[in-house]
Amino acid sequence: MTTINDVLNPAQRRAVEVPGGGLLILAGPGSGKTRVIAHRIAYLVQQRNVPPWRILAVTFTNKAAKEMRERVEGLLGAAAAELSMGTFHGICARILRRDGQEIGLPNDFVIYARDDQLALVRRIEVTQHIDPKRFAPGAILSAISSAKNEQRNAASYQQDVSSYFEEIVGRVFEDYERALERSAAVDFDDLLGKVALLFQMRPEVRERYAERYLHTLIDEFQDTNIVQYELARAWASVHGNITAVGDPDQSIYSWRAADIRNLTNFQRHFENTEVVLLEQNYRSSGHILAAASAVID
């Protein structure tokens, strides 16, 4: 196995070797953050004797999760298979398959993809005599998604409408939720929101997961929304060992209700957080970095 000292610079090594508690890694582009996450997981297993099944590693895309798993497998071998690792949506789907019945969701629920959601919105528009050319199904679905990512259901959304478009969204939203329930189905936003609801309504379930995960690691933390931030806090609520990796200059999911303030709130919610800056870029030349910095400024 490759030793940590062979491949990490001093800042990366410092991030890897923090024993526990809150850890915020601010990692610029090309600074080796995926390498740091993989080596931190290996360090926790090899040097801190943390059982792999007690580590939760979360990222945003299947591609990123695949890369992370491959890197960890290269460091830990077969033990990497015991890790809980994947995207927010994938991990939440597994939780709901196991415990969703606690909030009335059958374990054989169906997950609606984007095309399924759009087809459902179109059917509702026909039923409600809404002109799809004036109120595009995609726009309505986007508004529903934003509301769910802000932990608002149809009822709470309808209480705060301020335009005719929002009134239309509220009407469609109500029928949309009923149709999903009748079909024993969820959409991708529900995967997160229903786990948050599960943890809220069944504290004993939340505590079971929080007790299991001795260490939680979240990648691309700058792109977490309100629900994802609450899930991260719930998973770390017993042991308080959470690593967040992010860069405020790389936030790209504001359209999906990502909240950049989660990076600053992290230090408030997790006391004595250690902050590590990864500033050495291994990907781009100085000329490219100067141009990128100018754009950010």
Side-chain angles (χ1 to χ4, degrees):
M1 295 183 183
T2 305
T3 61
I4 290 173
N5 291 341
D6 290 339
V7 294
L8 302 181
N9 65 37
Q12 292 172 332
R13 193 176 307 126
R14 178 185 166 206
V16 165
E17 296 179 347
V18 172
L23 171 61
L24 180 59
I25 303 173
L26 298 178
S31 60
K33 66 181 180 63
T34 305
R35 170 183 287 183
V36 167
I37 295 172
H39 278 81
R40 176 154 179 75
I41 292 172
Y43 170 80
L44 291 172
V45 174
Q46 295 173 338
Q47 304 298 322
R48 308 296 299 188
N49 297 317
V50 178
W53 61 272
R54 301 199 70 184
I55 296 175
L56 173 64
V58 188
T59 188
F60 272 79
T61 66
N62 290 323
K63 180 180 178 181
K66 182 175 182 290
E67 180 184 359
M68 187 187 300
R69 182 169 292 279
E70 288 174 348
R71 293 206 184 199
V72 175
E73 286 175 349
L75 296 169
L76 290 180
E82 299 178 34
L83 296 164
S84 293
M85 184 181 297
T87 65
F88 269 102
H89 293 88
I91 289 167
C92 285
R94 293 197 292 271
I95 292 174
L96 290 175
R97 294 289 184 199
R98 177 177 178 179
D99 296 298
Q101 290 177 312
E102 295 282 348
I103 54 172
L105 185 67
N107 56 19
D108 60 347
F109 63 84
V110 177
I111 301 174
Y112 272 26
R114 174 77 175 178
D115 289 345
D116 302 315
Q117 295 173 267
L118 287 171
L120 175 56
V121 171
R122 291 189 187 101
R123 291 198 300 271
I124 294 171
E125 285 191 311
V126 170
T127 302
Q128 296 190 9
H129 306 290
I130 297 170
D131 183 359
K133 294 182 179 179
R134 185 179 178 189
F135 300 100
I140 291 177
L141 188 58
S142 178
I144 292 174
S145 176
S146 294
K148 288 189 175 187
N149 285 321
E150 295 170 357
Q151 295 182 307
R152 299 163 67 195
N153 58 21
S156 62
Y157 185 92
Q158 289 171 334
Q159 291 174 358
D160 196 32
V161 298
S162 59
S163 68
Y164 186 51
F165 172 75
E166 291 180 353
E167 182 182 335
I168 294 294
V169 171
R171 285 162 45 191
V172 174
F173 195 173
E174 185 174 12
D175 284 357
Y176 178 86
E177 286 191 323
R178 288 174 179 168
L180 288 178
E181 185 174 356
R182 284 196 303 269
S183 301
V186 299
D187 60 24
F188 281 101
D189 297 315
D190 288 331
L191 292 175
L192 308 181
K194 287 190 179 297
V195 171
L197 178 65
L198 170 66
F199 286 171
Q200 178 184 350
M201 295 183 64
R202 296 290 186 269
E204 68 278 9
V205 175
R206 174 186 59 79
E207 290 175 9
R208 171 158 41 89
Y209 284 98
E211 174 60 37
R212 170 181 175 174
Y213 296 128
L214 188 58
H215 283 268
T216 300
L217 301 92
I218 312 287
D219 193 15
E220 305 292 3
F221 202 76
Q222 77 278 353
D223 286 324
T224 52
N225 58 36
I226 294 173
V227 179
Q228 290 162 330
Y229 186 71
E230 290 303 316
L231 290 174
R233 291 185 64 192
W235 286 323
S237 59
V238 170
H239 301 290
N241 299 319
I242 181 168
T243 298
V245 185
D247 180 358
D249 293 328
Q250 295 187 70
S251 180
I252 62 172
Y253 282 114
S254 58
W255 56 275
R256 198 181 286 172
D259 193 335
I260 197 69
R261 291 172 298 181
N262 288 346
L263 278 175
T264 54
N265 290 337
F266 184 89
Q267 296 182 67
R268 179 164 57 88
H269 288 138
F270 296 96
E271 296 182 0
N272 302 317
T273 292
E274 184 158 353
V275 180
V276 178
L277 304 180
L278 302 184
E279 300 174 294
Q280 187 170 342
N281 189 296
Y282 293 92
R283 184 183 301 157
S284 304
S285 67
H287 187 69
I288 292 174
L289 293 175
S293 296
V295 171
I296 291 170
D297 288 341

